[in-house]
Protein backbone atom coordinates (compact mmCIF):
# COMPACT_ATOMS: atom_id res chain seq x y z
CA UNK A 1 0.00 0.00 0.00
CA UNK A 2 1.39 3.34 1.12
CA UNK A 3 4.47 1.84 2.79
CA UNK A 4 7.94 1.28 1.34
CA UNK A 5 10.97 -0.19 3.15
CA UNK A 6 14.59 0.37 2.17
CA UNK A 7 17.92 -0.89 3.47
CA UNK A 8 20.13 2.15 4.19
CA UNK A 9 23.92 1.94 4.07
CA UNK A 10 25.92 3.40 6.97
CA UNK A 11 27.03 7.02 6.61
CA UNK A 12 23.97 8.25 4.70
CA UNK A 13 22.13 10.95 6.70
CA UNK A 14 18.37 11.31 6.63
CA UNK A 15 18.61 15.08 6.40
CA UNK A 16 21.65 16.96 5.16
CA UNK A 17 22.97 20.42 4.56
CA UNK A 18 22.22 22.07 1.24
CA UNK A 19 24.22 20.39 -1.51
CA UNK A 20 25.05 17.29 0.55
CA UNK A 21 23.87 13.78 -0.28
CA UNK A 22 21.06 12.66 2.01
CA UNK A 23 18.04 10.36 1.93
CA UNK A 24 15.72 13.38 1.87
CA UNK A 25 17.42 14.67 -1.30
CA UNK A 26 17.02 11.27 -2.97
CA UNK A 27 13.29 10.85 -2.26
CA UNK A 28 11.95 12.78 -5.29
CA UNK A 29 14.10 10.71 -7.68
CA UNK A 30 13.03 7.51 -5.91
CA UNK A 31 9.35 8.51 -6.25
CA UNK A 32 9.75 9.09 -9.98
CA UNK A 33 11.67 5.85 -10.47
CA UNK A 34 8.93 3.85 -8.75
CA UNK A 35 6.19 5.68 -10.63
CA UNK A 36 4.50 6.99 -7.47
CA UNK A 37 2.20 10.00 -7.72
CA UNK A 38 2.46 11.13 -4.07
CA UNK A 39 5.54 12.41 -2.24
CA UNK A 40 7.39 10.03 0.06
CA UNK A 41 7.82 10.80 3.78
CA UNK A 42 10.25 9.25 6.25
CA UNK A 43 8.32 7.36 8.94
CA UNK A 44 11.25 5.75 10.75
CA UNK A 45 14.96 5.61 9.99
CA UNK A 46 18.23 4.81 11.74
CA UNK A 47 20.76 7.52 12.52
CA UNK A 48 23.34 8.57 9.96
CA UNK A 49 26.08 6.22 11.20
CA UNK A 50 23.75 3.19 11.35
CA UNK A 51 22.68 0.93 8.53
CA UNK A 52 19.34 -0.80 8.19
CA UNK A 53 15.63 -0.33 7.72
CA UNK A 54 14.16 2.94 6.50
CA UNK A 55 10.37 3.01 6.52
CA UNK A 56 8.79 5.42 4.01
CA UNK A 57 5.15 6.31 3.36
CA UNK A 58 3.36 8.02 0.48
CA UNK A 59 0.40 8.88 2.73
CA UNK A 60 0.63 11.77 5.18
CA UNK A 61 -1.96 10.30 7.57
CA UNK A 62 -0.22 6.91 7.58
CA UNK A 63 3.07 8.62 8.37
CA UNK A 64 1.61 10.47 11.35
CA UNK A 65 -0.25 7.40 12.62
CA UNK A 66 2.86 5.21 12.56
CA UNK A 67 5.11 7.87 14.10
CA UNK A 68 2.60 8.20 16.94
CA UNK A 69 2.58 4.41 17.30
CA UNK A 70 6.37 4.33 17.74
CA UNK A 71 6.20 7.11 20.34
CA UNK A 72 3.35 5.45 22.26
CA UNK A 73 5.07 2.04 22.14
CA UNK A 74 7.95 3.37 24.22
CA UNK A 75 5.52 4.60 26.89
CA UNK A 76 3.85 1.17 26.93
CA UNK A 77 7.20 -0.53 27.47
CA UNK A 78 7.23 -2.18 24.06
CA UNK A 79 10.27 -2.61 21.82
CA UNK A 80 9.12 -1.98 18.22
CA UNK A 81 12.69 -1.43 16.92
CA UNK A 82 15.30 -4.19 17.06
CA UNK A 83 18.95 -3.57 16.16
CA UNK A 84 21.92 -5.86 15.65
CA UNK A 85 25.47 -4.88 16.55
CA UNK A 86 28.89 -6.45 16.30
CA UNK A 87 30.95 -5.62 19.38
CA UNK A 88 34.63 -5.75 20.24
CA UNK A 89 34.41 -7.76 23.42
CA UNK A 90 31.76 -10.12 24.80
CA UNK A 91 29.38 -8.97 27.57
CA UNK A 92 29.77 -10.74 30.91
CA UNK A 93 26.04 -11.58 30.97
CA UNK A 94 24.23 -13.26 28.07
CA UNK A 95 21.34 -10.80 28.34
CA UNK A 96 20.30 -7.83 30.41
CA UNK A 97 19.47 -4.12 30.42
CA UNK A 98 21.66 -1.04 30.29
CA UNK A 99 20.17 1.94 32.10
CA UNK A 100 21.79 5.34 32.54
CA UNK A 101 21.19 9.05 32.15
CA UNK A 102 22.52 10.63 28.97
CA UNK A 103 23.38 14.25 28.37
CA UNK A 104 25.01 16.53 25.85
CA UNK A 105 28.28 17.89 27.24
CA UNK A 106 30.55 20.51 25.78
CA UNK A 107 33.88 19.03 24.77
CA UNK A 108 36.70 20.14 27.01
CA UNK A 109 34.27 21.49 29.59
CA UNK A 110 32.41 19.73 32.41
CA UNK A 111 29.40 22.06 32.22
CA UNK A 112 26.36 20.51 30.58
CA UNK A 113 24.85 22.40 27.69
CA UNK A 114 21.16 23.27 27.85
CA UNK A 115 18.90 23.96 24.90
CA UNK A 116 20.45 21.25 22.74
CA UNK A 117 18.14 18.38 23.56
CA UNK A 118 17.08 15.82 21.01
CA UNK A 119 14.16 16.87 18.85
CA UNK A 120 13.00 13.97 16.73
CA UNK A 121 13.32 10.42 15.53
CA UNK A 122 16.27 10.78 13.17
CA UNK A 123 19.06 11.54 15.61
CA UNK A 124 19.43 15.26 14.90
CA UNK A 125 19.84 18.03 17.45
CA UNK A 126 18.99 21.72 17.07
CA UNK A 127 22.08 23.58 15.94
CA UNK A 128 23.89 20.32 15.10
CA UNK A 129 26.06 18.51 17.63
CA UNK A 130 29.16 19.14 15.49
CA UNK A 131 28.49 22.88 15.40
CA UNK A 132 28.05 23.01 19.19
CA UNK A 133 31.22 20.91 19.81
CA UNK A 134 29.11 18.57 21.94
CA UNK A 135 29.49 14.96 22.96
CA UNK A 136 27.01 12.51 24.48
CA UNK A 137 28.10 11.39 27.96
CA UNK A 138 26.59 9.01 30.52
CA UNK A 139 25.23 10.41 33.78
CA UNK A 140 24.93 7.32 36.04
CA UNK A 141 22.80 8.90 38.79
CA UNK A 142 20.95 11.95 37.41
CA UNK A 143 19.20 14.19 39.90
CA UNK A 144 15.50 15.04 39.75
CA UNK A 145 16.22 18.65 38.87
CA UNK A 146 18.45 17.82 35.92
CA UNK A 147 15.81 15.37 34.64
CA UNK A 148 13.03 17.94 35.09
CA UNK A 149 15.07 20.60 33.26
CA UNK A 150 15.77 17.99 30.55
CA UNK A 151 19.51 18.51 30.94
CA UNK A 152 19.67 14.72 31.34
CA UNK A 153 17.43 12.00 29.92
CA UNK A 154 16.96 8.56 31.47
CA UNK A 155 17.69 5.89 28.85
CA UNK A 156 17.29 2.12 28.69
CA UNK A 157 18.37 -0.56 26.22
CA UNK A 158 17.69 -4.30 26.43
CA UNK A 159 20.42 -6.53 24.98
CA UNK A 160 20.97 -10.21 24.24
CA UNK A 161 24.09 -12.00 22.99
CA UNK A 162 23.20 -14.01 19.87
CA UNK A 163 26.67 -15.44 19.26
CA UNK A 164 30.30 -14.87 20.20
CA UNK A 165 33.59 -15.89 18.65
CA UNK A 166 37.19 -14.69 18.81
CA UNK A 167 36.54 -12.00 21.40
CA UNK A 168 33.70 -10.42 19.39
CA UNK A 169 29.94 -10.78 19.75
CA UNK A 170 26.74 -10.37 17.75
CA UNK A 171 24.17 -8.58 19.94
CA UNK A 172 20.47 -7.94 19.64
CA UNK A 173 19.61 -4.46 20.94
CA UNK A 174 16.15 -3.12 21.76
CA UNK A 175 16.17 0.53 22.84
CA UNK A 176 13.35 1.48 25.21
CA UNK A 177 14.17 5.19 24.82
CA UNK A 178 15.46 7.37 22.01
CA UNK A 179 18.56 9.56 22.36
CA UNK A 180 21.33 10.27 19.84
CA UNK A 181 24.23 7.79 20.09
CA UNK A 182 22.38 5.92 22.85
CA UNK A 183 23.35 2.47 21.57
CA UNK A 184 27.04 3.35 21.19
CA UNK A 185 27.26 4.78 24.71
CA UNK A 186 25.36 1.86 26.23
CA UNK A 187 27.70 -0.62 24.54
CA UNK A 188 30.73 1.16 25.99
CA UNK A 189 29.12 0.88 29.43
CA UNK A 190 29.01 -2.88 28.77
CA UNK A 191 32.76 -2.52 28.04
CA UNK A 192 32.02 -3.89 24.55
CA UNK A 193 32.09 -0.98 22.06
CA UNK A 194 30.57 -1.47 18.63
CA UNK A 195 32.94 -2.41 15.84
CA UNK A 196 33.71 0.76 13.87
CA UNK A 197 32.78 3.14 16.71
CA UNK A 198 35.46 5.81 16.35
CA UNK A 199 33.67 8.21 18.70
CA UNK A 200 33.03 6.33 21.95
CA UNK A 201 35.31 3.25 21.86
CA UNK A 202 38.20 5.27 23.34
CA UNK A 203 36.28 5.26 26.65
CA UNK A 204 37.01 1.55 27.08
CA UNK A 205 40.57 1.03 28.29
CA UNK A 206 42.46 -2.18 29.08
CA UNK A 207 44.99 -3.16 31.72
CA UNK A 208 46.52 -6.62 31.31
CA UNK A 209 43.65 -7.45 28.97
CA UNK A 210 40.93 -6.48 31.45
CA UNK A 211 38.58 -3.74 30.14
CA UNK A 212 37.48 -0.77 32.24
CA UNK A 213 35.48 2.40 31.62
CA UNK A 214 37.25 5.75 31.21
CA UNK A 215 35.54 9.06 31.83
CA UNK A 216 34.91 11.13 28.66
CA UNK A 217 37.25 13.86 30.01
CA UNK A 218 40.18 11.42 30.17
CA UNK A 219 39.44 9.64 26.88
CA UNK A 220 39.70 11.91 23.82
CA UNK A 221 38.01 10.66 20.66
CA UNK A 222 40.21 8.74 18.22
CA UNK A 223 40.03 5.99 15.61
CA UNK A 224 39.08 2.67 17.21
CA UNK A 225 42.06 0.54 18.22
CA UNK A 226 41.86 -3.16 17.30
CA UNK A 227 44.37 -5.90 18.03
CA UNK A 228 46.46 -7.41 15.24
CA UNK A 229 44.53 -10.69 15.18
CA UNK A 230 41.18 -8.96 14.61
CA UNK A 231 42.71 -6.64 12.02
CA UNK A 232 44.03 -9.69 10.17
CA UNK A 233 40.62 -11.40 10.25
CA UNK A 234 39.01 -8.24 8.87
CA UNK A 235 41.67 -7.94 6.18
CA UNK A 236 42.49 -4.38 7.22
CA UNK A 237 45.69 -2.47 7.89
CA UNK A 238 45.89 0.08 10.75
CA UNK A 239 45.82 2.87 8.14
CA UNK A 240 42.48 1.63 6.79
CA UNK A 241 40.80 1.48 10.20
CA UNK A 242 39.28 4.95 10.06
CA UNK A 243 37.25 3.80 7.02
CA UNK A 244 35.65 0.97 9.02
CA UNK A 245 31.91 1.82 9.33
CA UNK A 246 29.89 1.53 12.52
CA UNK A 247 28.45 -2.00 12.81
CA UNK A 248 25.01 -1.17 14.22
CA UNK A 249 22.07 -2.16 12.01
CA UNK A 250 18.33 -1.55 12.35
CA UNK A 251 17.19 -5.12 11.76
CA UNK A 252 13.43 -5.13 12.41
CA UNK A 253 10.45 -2.83 12.92
CA UNK A 254 7.18 -4.07 14.39
CA UNK A 255 4.12 -2.32 12.92
CA UNK A 256 0.60 -2.13 14.36
Amino acid sequence: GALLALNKPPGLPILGRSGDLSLDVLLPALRRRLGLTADLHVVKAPAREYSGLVLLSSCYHTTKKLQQFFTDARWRGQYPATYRAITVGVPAEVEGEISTGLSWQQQGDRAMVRGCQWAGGTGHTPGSAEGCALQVVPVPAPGRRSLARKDVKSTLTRYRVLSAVGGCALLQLQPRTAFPEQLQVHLTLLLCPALGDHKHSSRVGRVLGVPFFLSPESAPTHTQVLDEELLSRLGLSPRQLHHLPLHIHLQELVLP
Side-chain angles (χ1 to χ4, degrees):
L3 294 178
L4 173 69
L6 304 177
N7 186 18
K8 183 184 86 68
L12 179 68
I14 306 306
L15 300 173
R17 298 171 185 171
S18 178
D20 289 349
L21 181 65
S22 68
L23 180 65
D24 187 60
V25 169
L26 295 172
L27 289 182
L30 178 63
R31 177 181 63 81
R32 291 192 297 270
R33 187 169 182 175
L34 295 175
L36 302 176
T37 56
D39 291 336
L40 288 167
H41 312 106
V42 178
V43 178
K44 185 80 172 175
R48 173 179 186 153
E49 297 84 2
Y50 300 176
S51 60
L53 279 170
V54 174
L55 189 63
L56 304 173
S57 169
S58 59
C59 171
Y60 176 81
H61 296 292
T62 301
T63 300
K64 291 302 177 184
K65 181 180 178 181
L66 286 174
Q67 288 177 340
Q68 190 62 50
F69 163 76
F70 287 123
T71 300
D72 293 344
R74 289 197 293 268
W75 289 107
R76 292 193 297 266
Q78 297 174 342
Y79 297 83
T82 299
Y83 293 78
R84 297 282 173 90
I86 295 177
T87 61
V88 181
V90 181
E93 302 292 335
V94 174
E95 59 182 307
E97 292 183 342
I98 312 135
S99 177
T100 187
L102 290 180
S103 173
W104 289 105
Q105 189 181 79
Q106 199 164 11
Q107 285 185 316
D109 182 29
R110 285 179 170 272
M112 292 179 193
V113 179
R114 296 188 194 176
C116 224
Q117 288 96 23
W118 187 57
T122 54
H124 295 277
T125 54
S128 154
E130 292 82 5
C132 296
L134 300 180
Q135 59 181 342
V136 179
V137 298
V139 183
R144 290 184 179 180
R145 290 185 179 181
S146 60
L147 290 170
R149 292 196 305 262
K150 297 185 179 179
D151 291 337
V152 181
K153 179 174 180 177
S154 294
T155 60
L156 175 68
T157 299
R158 179 182 290 172
Y159 77 90
R160 183 160 62 94
V161 178
L162 301 177
S163 64
V165 63
C168 293
L170 175 66
L171 266 62
Q172 174 180 287
L173 302 171
Q174 292 179 310
R176 169 73 173 80
T177 53
F179 197 91
E181 303 172 22
Q182 172 179 319
L183 297 181
Q184 295 103 295
V185 177
H186 283 186
L187 289 174
T188 63
L189 292 174
L190 275 181
L191 303 179
C192 300
L195 183 66
D197 185 351
H198 306 300
K199 186 177 287 187
H200 300 281
S201 61
S202 58
R203 298 178 190 173
V204 179
R206 290 183 180 272
V207 173
L208 299 177
V210 179
F212 64 96
F213 187 76
L214 291 162
S215 67
E217 293 82 4
S218 61
T221 298
H222 58 68
T223 300
Q224 188 174 34
V225 177
L226 302 178
D227 61 40
E228 291 184 6
E229 181 183 351
L230 183 52
L231 278 174
S232 176
R233 285 161 54 198
L234 291 169
L236 296 174
S237 69
R239 289 186 177 182
Q240 295 172 313
L241 253 180
H242 68 281
H243 292 300
L244 186 67
L246 182 67
H247 281 58
I248 298 180
H249 181 82
L250 179 51
Q251 175 80 14
E252 180 182 274
L253 289 171
V254 176
L255 303 181

